[in-house]
Amino acid sequence: MDTKWKMTVRCFLLAVLFRGIFAASFFSPVPAAAFSLAEQPESLRLEAGRVRYDDESGTTTAEGDAHLTWGETTIQAERIDYDASTQKVRASSPPGGSVVLRNGGRTLMGDSLEYDLDTGEGLLQGAKSAVPLGSGTLYVFGGGLDVIPWDMARERGLVRGNSLKDAPDLIARWTKVTATTCALDHPHYRIETKSITFIPGRLVVAKRPRLYLGETYLLTWPADYIVEIDRRALRQSVTPYIQSSGSKGTGFGLSGTFGWSTGALDLGLSWWSRVDLEGMAEIEQELGGGWGVRTGVEYSWDKAWREKEWRPWASLFYGWKDWRASVSWRRNEFVEDRKTSLYEYQGRLDRRPEIEIASPWIRDPAVQGSWLRLNAFWGQYREKTLDFSGGWTTRSGAQLQHWFETPAGRNLDFFWNLTGSAWFYRESDDEQRVLDVFGGLRYRLGIFELGTGYQRRYVDGYSPMLWDSFKEAERVHQKIRFPVGREFFLQVRGSYDLNESMIDEVNYALQWINDCMKWELRYLNDRTSGGEDRVSLSVSLLAFPRTPASFGQYEEEDPFLSPDDLPEK
């Protein structure tokens, strides 16, 4: 750039600067200054309490709640230095303050920032981020953080593929970092890694991290550790449990998920004193454009046949604006379903295929706290029990679910969960209509958290198959939870079968809950015909309170909990 052109630009900068200071002095209720450069490819604006321009160096210094805006990128700090000739930005804040980098509604924070507006690269020192996840927060903090445009990160091998759907302009790559959902200065657990890639709003990908409980080192992860921010899910996890049941004996299980940016490998292994080893493996891979595939196999115990069986499955799925559709195949699926307190169904089921279309939860605009969801099904099924082997049966139908919850007073919530289903069977011309109703109250009396609910199932018609033949039911449910010490709670939940005039089950749980983890010792007293008592010990992260159970782990559903996939969750 020749000297004449430099002087022209500097004069323009000074004119804009003085105009901003003049406007701020006379028209802004809070002292502020602004700087903008209209000739740049994207409009750049610098605002602060004080803005100074150095004619010799060509740099602009903004101090006092400074903001620099460039396209979709915003830098906020106590002080920002901008060099128009090199397009370099330096931002810093005093101790206790933060430099904030926002891009496309996504945020990174640190102690200081050096950023190149031309290339989109930057270095954020003392980087940290707090990301909402489930009912908790993922905290990521550590050393230097490189801010890199998506295309450049792809060239360097930090991300794969052409682009993620709605991918951010920038991604971030940390060095020497720590991640945890525990908010304490000394977290109960954490992962440490030499390198972590953070795609704001989408993924956190840690390279072969080390897992610590407190200060105790446990293991080094064999693959990348991935958290899906947009799905609020822990893509990467290892969940252990210990459990005892009447049919399998005492067992230990361990499930792990090893993910990458577009897919994951799920592995599960369990050992039981009476049935030895069981295992499973599943691979999920996104194909792009909302499409994906999932395939896997399970080798597990059949309680009815008292033998192990291979159970393969595969599915093709598609997602669009929270709608989802899938086509699934399964062989030898073990189905265990308690129809009544005196009858439990056990059998094997083949699906070839099963098609499902599911809507997202849709808020009822007329009623606060009211949600609706619709699912449609079509499939062909073949079942086998100890007594017979059936032929292929075609079934189609739909389900409409309505969830409603509202405060009914201080420490008192009223809710209901209604599910209506209609099923049609082509070969036999049978029809079946089912209405499940569960409503109740959640309330608090002093230190006691309680829930009281009523369940009723109405059935009209019949099914030619046994696995999906519904029976009428009527039960009363009660739940109580109270502290028994610092961070310790006792919970008791049971149900009474009004048709059979009997308590059909009671669940006991001793919980140890700290800042970020929950250890739970459970005992299920199953009083139904053929039921099994079970004892188990499990651990979960509070940011993911309803993570699916590990492979082989048996868990009772708590009917007092709201659906975990509600948008408000």
Side-chain angles (χ1 to χ4, degrees):
M1 184 182 294
D2 58 30
T3 303
K4 182 178 179 180
W5 176 245
K6 286 184 179 179
M7 289 300 298
T8 301
V9 171
R10 289 176 179 175
C11 289
F12 178 82
L13 291 176
L14 285 171
V16 173
L17 175 62
F18 287 131
R19 184 185 64 181
I21 295 175
F22 179 85
S25 300
F26 286 90
F27 297 103
S28 176
V30 179
F35 162 78
S36 63
L37 186 58
E39 283 87 359
Q40 297 294 340
E42 291 189 74
S43 175
L44 183 149
R45 184 171 181 83
L46 183 58
E47 299 176 296
R50 298 179 305 279
V51 178
R52 301 190 307 272
Y53 176 72
D54 189 326
D55 184 63
E56 290 295 325
S57 63
T59 61
T60 303
T61 299
E63 294 180 296
D65 193 21
H67 290 70
L68 184 146
T69 302
W70 170 268
E72 294 188 357
T73 301
T74 299
I75 299 172
Q76 177 183 353
E78 180 63 23
R79 172 171 173 158
I80 296 177
D81 296 298
Y82 168 64
D83 190 328
S85 61
T86 62
Q87 291 291 79
K88 298 291 180 63
V89 175
R90 292 182 178 86
S92 60
S93 289
S98 295
V99 174
V100 180
L101 174 63
R102 293 188 177 91
N103 175 262
R106 304 168 178 98
T107 302
L108 299 171
M109 295 175 291
D111 297 330
S112 63
L113 170 69
E114 295 183 4
Y115 190 71
D116 190 321
L117 295 177
D118 276 340
T119 64
E121 290 186 272
L123 176 62
L124 188 63
Q125 296 285 2
K128 53 185 177 290
S129 181
V131 183
L133 273 179
S135 60
T137 302
L138 177 70
Y139 301 95
V140 185
F141 51 91
L145 179 151
D146 294 313
V147 181
I148 310 169
W150 175 272
D151 292 339
M152 191 175 296
R154 183 187 60 197
E155 294 174 0
R156 297 180 183 180
L158 300 179
V159 294
R160 297 180 180 179
N162 293 330
S163 177
L164 288 175
K165 184 181 178 181
D166 299 326
D169 296 333
L170 304 175
I171 72 166
R173 183 173 181 267
W174 266 281
T175 56
K176 298 180 180 180
V177 296
T178 297
T180 181
T181 57
C182 188
L184 300 178
D185 293 336
H186 302 284
H188 294 93
Y189 88 95
R190 69 186 189 279
I191 63 169
E192 293 187 356
T193 177
K194 294 180 179 179
S195 173
I196 190 170
T197 301
F198 181 53
I199 304 175
R202 299 300 302 273
L203 297 172
V204 176
V205 184
K207 300 293 184 180
R208 291 179 56 83
R210 301 197 301 172
L211 176 64
Y212 290 84
L213 282 182
E215 298 301 322
T216 303
Y217 164 74
L218 290 185
L219 56 91
T220 298
W221 233 269
D224 293 350
Y225 183 100
I226 295 182
V227 176
E228 290 186 304
I229 299 171
D230 55 342
R231 298 182 185 178
R232 298 188 176 186
L234 190 65
R235 174 71 70 85
Q236 183 79 25
S237 65
V238 171
T239 307
Y241 70 90
I242 299 174
Q243 188 165 285
S244 177
S245 70
S247 61
K248 294 184 179 182
T250 301
F252 170 79
L254 187 69
S255 292
T257 304
F258 305 94
W260 49 95
S261 60
T262 58
L265 169 64
D266 290 323
L267 297 174
L269 187 67
S270 62
W271 178 88
W272 301 89
S273 59
R274 295 182 182 175
V275 302
D276 296 326
L277 288 175
E278 295 181 307
M280 62 81 66
E282 180 184 80
I283 294 178
E284 178 182 337
Q285 179 62 52
E286 296 179 10
L287 302 178
W291 291 93
V293 294
R294 185 183 298 112
T295 183
V297 64
E298 176 182 319
Y299 183 62
S300 59
W301 177 256
D302 233 322
K303 186 167 66 173
W305 279 265
R306 302 188 65 81
E307 64 182 14
K308 295 178 185 176
E309 184 65 56
W310 290 96
R311 314 178 196 279
W313 66 83
S315 66
L316 174 68
F317 57 88
Y318 175 75
W320 177 77
K321 292 185 177 179
D322 294 328
W323 288 75
R324 58 183 175 85
S326 63
V327 183
S328 304
W329 294 260
R330 294 188 76 100
R331 290 292 306 276
N332 297 323
E333 177 185 359
F334 180 62
V335 178
E336 184 178 19
D337 183 20
R338 177 152 300 283
K339 302 298 185 179
T340 70
S341 295
L342 302 181
Y343 169 57
E344 181 182 46
Y345 171 84
Q346 295 178 3
R348 293 179 184 174
L349 186 67
D350 296 334
R351 306 171 191 252
R352 66 156 202 191
E354 180 183 62
I355 300 174
E356 178 183 2
I357 300 175
S359 78
W361 283 102
I362 301 172
R363 186 194 300 270
D364 184 351
V367 181
Q368 180 70 22
S370 180
W371 298 85
L372 293 169
R373 178 168 63 182
L374 177 65
N375 291 6
F377 300 85
W378 181 93
Q380 290 185 314
Y381 309 88
R382 180 175 63 185
E383 68 174 341
K384 178 182 178 181
T385 70
L386 286 174
D387 300 325
F388 77 98
S389 295
W392 288 99
T393 300
T394 304
R395 183 186 78 158
S396 59
Q399 285 184 331
L400 178 64
Q401 184 176 3
H402 179 216
W403 171 264
F404 172 74
E405 180 176 0
T406 185
R410 184 178 180 183
N411 296 324
L412 178 64
D413 292 328
F414 171 71
F415 69 95
W416 72 57
N417 191 356
L418 308 180
T419 303
S421 308
W423 304 106
F424 307 93
Y425 307 89
R426 187 176 66 185
E427 284 77 11
S428 63
D429 292 329
D430 286 325
E431 297 181 3
Q432 184 179 204
R433 287 161 293 276
V434 183
L435 176 62
D436 280 294
V437 180
F438 186 86
L441 298 171
R442 293 190 296 261
Y443 51 101
R444 179 185 290 271
L445 297 175
I447 64 171
F448 297 96
E449 302 172 26
L450 301 104
T452 302
Y454 173 76
Q455 176 190 4
R456 183 68 188 267
R457 179 187 297 144
Y458 301 89
V459 181
D460 177 44
Y462 302 93
S463 166
M465 299 179 288
L466 295 178
W467 71 276
D468 75 333
S469 292
F470 294 92
K471 306 294 182 181
E472 293 200 351
E474 188 175 15
R475 290 183 175 88
V476 175
H477 296 255
Q478 183 64 45
K479 176 181 178 180
I480 182 171
R481 180 176 180 267
F482 55 92
V484 291
R486 186 174 180 269
E487 298 183 339
F488 285 89
F489 297 85
L490 179 64
Q491 177 176 288
V492 182
R493 177 172 52 84
S495 61
Y496 182 84
D497 190 327
L498 295 173
N499 291 334
E500 303 297 337
S501 300
M502 60 177 290
I503 298 176
D504 54 3
E505 69 174 31
V506 183
N507 289 269
Y508 303 90
L510 178 62
Q511 303 169 341
W512 174 39
I513 302 177
N514 53 41
D515 181 71
C516 57
M517 301 180 70
K518 179 173 76 172
W519 296 76
E520 190 168 34
L521 176 63
R522 294 190 297 268
Y523 169 59
L524 168 63
N525 179 209
D526 191 342
R527 304 183 180 187
T528 57
S529 176
E532 292 184 335
D533 292 350
R534 294 181 173 89
V535 179
S536 64
L537 175 65
S538 62
V539 59
S540 60
L541 303 182
L542 294 184
F544 313 94
R546 281 181 248 178
T547 300
S550 297
F551 168 72
Q553 184 180 7
Y554 183 85
E555 285 195 344
E556 284 287 329
E557 181 182 357
D558 187 344
F560 291 95
L561 298 178
S562 60
D564 57 358
D565 57 349
L566 280 178
E568 290 182 342
K569 298 296 181 182

